[in-house]
Amino acid sequence: IIYDDESLWISTTDGLFNYHNGSLTEVLPETGIQNIELYDRDNILMATTLGLKLLNINKLTFEYIIKYKNENEMEVSSLFYDPTTRLIWLGTISNGILCYKAGASGIEQLPTAHLPHQPVLTIKKDVETSNLFVCIDGQGLWELSGDGKTVISIHKEDVNDPYSLQGDGVYDVLPDEERTWVATYTGGLSYMEHKLYSINHIMHQTNQSNSLR
């Protein structure tokens, strides 16, 4: 996480660290941190093997939003928080995505579209359409409605279509104003033009030192 003061919050298998002005500080010596997201100016959302926690970065105290009955029962592989809708999205290893909304009466799980039972590696929001992009290892890039209930489109590799996505192991996605950038394990970096919605490939070219390696 890049914070307002230009510091970095880093989650590792050994705990939570803060890097600022060239100095790395251990903030929370806790194992089992799977993912982190900025919740608001004072709090970080932490997906851990024990549950979903809210950490106050000023007081270094935390509270459970969701506490598991069994360790790592949700098998969280990715985390996304949308501050405009106050929805918490959890990507899992084999159970698709889960959506939660925190309110005055507690936390509520909301229904979502059925996705393949494979690891969800990244969840991002398209700021223009408010749709969700979901990267699934081995199943391509899925675009869902903003509430996660409807599948809008699925982008996967098609050997008969040179403009299709190269590789179904999608690890990350970055939507900007004109393009959606897609990183895959076997196919490198590609982008989709929003107006054309076709895939353009960026790959290494022999004897071209400036091409992607």
Side-chain angles (χ1 to χ4, degrees):
I1 295 174
I2 303 176
Y3 194 61
D4 289 348
D5 61 0
E6 298 184 354
S7 65
L8 296 177
W9 289 86
I10 307 167
S11 62
T12 75
T13 54
D14 292 325
L16 185 67
F17 293 79
N18 180 268
Y19 181 80
H20 187 51
N21 290 333
S23 177
L24 184 66
T25 304
E26 184 182 55
V27 177
L28 192 65
E30 177 178 336
T31 59
I33 300 176
Q34 296 165 315
N35 283 276
I36 58 174
E37 272 276 274
L38 190 63
Y39 188 77
D40 55 33
R41 184 173 177 80
D42 298 317
N43 295 279
I44 287 178
L45 196 60
M46 298 171 43
T48 76
T49 54
L50 299 178
L52 195 62
K53 301 178 180 180
L54 201 59
L55 172 71
N56 186 296
I57 60 177
N58 300 311
K59 301 177 181 178
L60 296 183
T61 58
F62 68 85
E63 60 177 308
Y64 278 100
I65 295 179
I66 301 173
K67 189 171 184 178
Y68 301 155
K69 295 180 180 178
N70 302 303
E71 185 174 355
N72 201 27
E73 64 181 55
M74 287 190 183
E75 297 185 310
V76 175
S77 52
S78 55
L79 171 66
F80 173 66
Y81 174 66
D82 186 350
T84 59
T85 60
R86 298 184 64 83
L87 295 179
I88 301 169
W89 299 89
L90 301 179
T92 68
I93 294 294
S94 59
N95 290 307
I97 59 173
L98 305 172
C99 179
Y100 294 90
K101 185 166 188 176
S105 58
I107 191 153
E108 174 189 8
Q109 184 173 358
L110 304 178
T112 58
H114 177 75
L115 299 181
H117 297 290
Q118 289 179 240
V120 175
L121 301 181
T122 305
I123 305 170
K124 294 277 181 66
K125 181 180 179 179
D126 187 332
V127 293
E128 289 192 352
T129 65
S130 295
N131 291 341
L132 294 176
F133 285 115
V134 180
C135 304
I136 305 178
D137 192 11
Q139 291 291 336
L141 178 67
W142 292 55
E143 185 177 359
L144 308 182
S145 57
D147 59 8
K149 296 179 181 179
T150 305
V151 177
I152 304 296
S153 61
I154 303 172
H155 300 278
K156 300 180 71 174
E157 183 173 19
D158 182 352
V159 295
N160 297 314
D161 182 1
Y163 295 102
S164 69
L165 193 65
Q166 295 291 293
D168 290 335
V170 180
Y171 275 41
D172 206 353
V173 62
L174 177 64
D176 64 25
E177 293 181 356
E178 297 181 357
R179 301 181 178 94
T180 297
W181 298 85
V182 186
T184 67
Y185 182 74
T186 57
L189 183 65
S190 305
Y191 64 86
M192 296 183 293
E193 294 279 4
H194 289 178
K195 294 181 179 179
L196 301 177
Y197 229 64
S198 61
I199 305 292
N200 296 277
H201 310 301
I202 303 173
M203 60 185 67
H204 176 66
Q205 299 176 15
T206 305
N207 299 324
Q208 292 289 333
S209 59
N210 292 327
S211 67
L212 185 68
R213 292 183 178 274

